Amino acid sequence: MLADICTGLISVFTLPSIGAIALGILTGLIFGAIPGISGIMAISILLPMTFYVSPLVGIPMLLGIYKASMFGGSITAVLLNTPGAPPAVCTAMDGFPLTRQGKAGKALNAALTGSVFGDTFSNILLICVAAPLAYLTLKIGPVEQCCLILLALTVVGSISGPSLTKGIICAGVGILLATVGASGATGAIRFTFDNENLMGGIALIPMVIGLLCLPEVIHQASSRISSVIQQKLNLKDENGRLTWKEFKAHIPVLLRSSLIGSIIGALPGLGASPAAYMAYSEARRTSKNPETFGKGNVAGVLAPEAANNAVTGSAMIPLLTLGIPGDDVTAVLMGAFIIQGITPGPMIFQEHAQLVYGIFGGLLICDVLLYFIAKAGFRIWARLSRLPKYVIFSAVTVFSFVGAYSINQSMFDIMTLILFGIIGYFVRRWHYSAGAFIIGFVLGPIWERAFDQSMVLSDGSFMIFIESPISAVLLALA
């Protein structure tokens, strides 16, 4: 095992892997710094690229996008009071007041410091606990796995959207569409309507791009972003940087917020927004000057940024140990694993140990590169946030179609993209959850396979789900 760990960590220190991570971070920062563009859109657009490269190049690149876009969303929150992502709403509460005081550089540096601190904290936690948890979950058979996925789908469905009913509907429809094509257990052909293009099921990548990217393009085309930076960005004196004294004084806030984010990230379905709000609330509660929050308190920037970025590392824990994505981003990342022929779950540490530890090494490289690349480009990200929308979303649309077409060179994939783009628009308009839909689609086949195996073991008796103490507890929780 020690040899696998060392080999895995060393394997990611190659020029292609480091170059891919740097490209992912640049992409994440660019997409995060542009209002209306999110990290999940960037991951969806670049997901087809992972089909052509090794897992140690493609997956760390996507993780770089994931991490950088979380910080990127805080750039517009600080400078324009326009959060680039929902978790950055908390960052704007104190970040934008600092900008109005002429301390935009300090706010940006505080956001970056909190982001990298939270990232590193959760990555270390992931490296320490993932493998032991995976070995424990090896004791879980198909019966327990079936009940565990049911619980995960119930939790995700119930919190992914403004109402429990809508969340459950989205997860359920995702599961239903996952049954299109040949059954993995019996080989039966289902719901293809004699269309040969559906024999292998609905393609994941065109569906994801359609659900997540095109609806945003349509929405942004009908709105206007008019905020601009009214003053020159100062990055030199005390108002333009986070001093060492300020950093030391806020270490307890950073540690507490990172722990909150790591715990919430490890729970499937919660996501970064609750972590940011909880950390911000806790920082205000424990502050000696709570009345300064909302008026330009540095702790009000550090706390939510540390928490929402800590979610990124710990969200990989349920994905790698149980094979259960906790949110829409990790669901797409799970798709990247599956494209590479790797199934996340407890067996991944036995079958692909070197790869997993290589990815862990990539996560640590992400933290280092994120700090230096983001800090060096503060002025660039500020200018990107003011790019004309017609340039931004025209490029997004082109990349969406090219990405969907590139894997199979199939016009049917383009039609799938357009269809799910229309569906995604109404999903967004009627306040349903595309994330719950994608998670249901990804987990559906795994759930079906576990159910079929359970039925074979019990000779068709449903009592097997009650006879196992673990599965009975999981069912009760569901």
Side-chain angles (χ1 to χ4, degrees), residues 243-269:
T243 65
W244 176 246
K245 182 179 179 181
E246 288 174 315
F247 174 76
K248 288 194 298 182
H250 290 101
I251 286 178
V253 172
L254 289 167
L255 287 172
R256 186 166 54 246
S257 301
S258 299
L259 182 61
I260 291 171
S262 297
I263 293 172
I264 290 178
L267 301 174

Side-chain angles (χ1 to χ4, degrees), residues 407-421:
I407 293 181
N408 298 317
Q409 289 81 46
S410 168
M411 286 304 297
F412 185 80
D413 285 348
I414 296 295
M415 298 302 296
T416 302
L417 169 70
I418 295 171
L419 175 62
F420 279 98

